[in-house]
Amino acid sequence: MAAEVCQVVGGDFANLVQLGLAIGAAGTLFYKRHFETPQRPWLVWFFDTSKQGGVAFMQHVAGLLFGAVLGDRGEASPCAW
């Protein structure tokens, strides 16, 4: 039996998926703001949403770092994350 090789998706398809997810997330936030009552000023809304985006970005980077460190040690593969 041949050893299974794990390959993380990359290239143009991965970039297209990431773009679609970003557009979907931003669209959801704009949609939610359109229907909120009372409606916050744009600056307040921007600060609230950018705070959420900043935290999500930090969590993403932390996951990448954990994957890289554990992968280099041989304790996990990229597909385990």
Side-chain angles (χ1 to χ4, degrees):
M1 177 194 277
E4 292 184 32
V5 176
C6 172
Q7 182 175 353
V8 179
V9 177
D12 292 337
F13 177 72
N15 292 335
L16 184 64
V17 169
Q18 291 292 318
L19 179 64
L21 290 170
I23 290 171
T28 301
L29 291 172
F30 281 111
Y31 178 82
K32 182 180 173 185
R33 185 196 185 278
H34 180 72
F35 290 105
E36 73 181 357
T37 309
Q39 201 168 49
R40 295 171 286 176
W42 278 103
L43 188 61
V44 173
W45 176 85
F46 172 75
F47 285 143
D48 287 344
T49 56
S50 64
K51 179 174 50 176
Q52 293 173 9
V55 170
F57 177 75
M58 288 188 282
Q59 289 173 336
H60 180 64
V61 170
L64 292 174
L65 290 174
F66 277 120
V69 169
L70 294 177
D72 285 345
R73 291 182 181 177
E75 297 175 17
S77 73
C79 294
W81 290 89

